[in-house]
Amino acid sequence: MSRARASITVHAEKETVAEIDALAAATDRSRDDIVNQALQQYLETNAWQVERIREGIAAADAGRVRPADDVFARISAKHGWSR
């Protein structure tokens, strides 16, 4: 089943367009395929980040937080860093 499509116009640096075209040629795909995949990955990543931020805010609002010094000490200990 094919998805409904809509056109958008994006102005990009010429070098960026050249890189898109080179990748499309190297992978035997269209410019549309490359840009659509990049947009989808960007949207998924940002949706994930927004959700984690919302969860963090909810945890902070509920009082589920740790002092920054404790967090940094734990990270330092885990990686063998000295502070």
Side-chain angles (χ1 to χ4, degrees):
M1 175 196 258
S2 125
R3 293 184 178 185
R5 298 177 71 91
S7 294
I8 62 172
T9 300
V10 176
H11 297 275
E13 299 290 329
K14 287 182 180 183
E15 294 81 14
T16 302
V17 175
E19 289 181 49
I20 292 167
D21 288 342
L23 181 57
T27 58
D28 196 28
R29 296 168 58 206
S30 70
R31 182 189 281 177
D32 280 356
D33 287 342
I34 300 298
V35 172
N36 276 309
Q37 180 181 4
L39 288 171
Q40 190 59 44
Q41 288 173 342
Y42 177 86
L43 293 170
E44 288 170 3
T45 298
N46 279 271
W48 179 88
Q49 290 173 340
V50 167
E51 183 55 31
R52 298 296 87 68
I53 291 167
R54 286 183 178 144
E55 290 172 0
I57 291 170
D61 288 346
R64 295 187 318 268
V65 295
R66 293 185 179 155
D69 285 342
D70 292 352
V71 173
F72 293 133
R74 210 166 160 196
I75 292 170
S76 294
K78 178 179 179 180
H79 295 284
W81 303 333
S82 60
R83 284 182 36 125

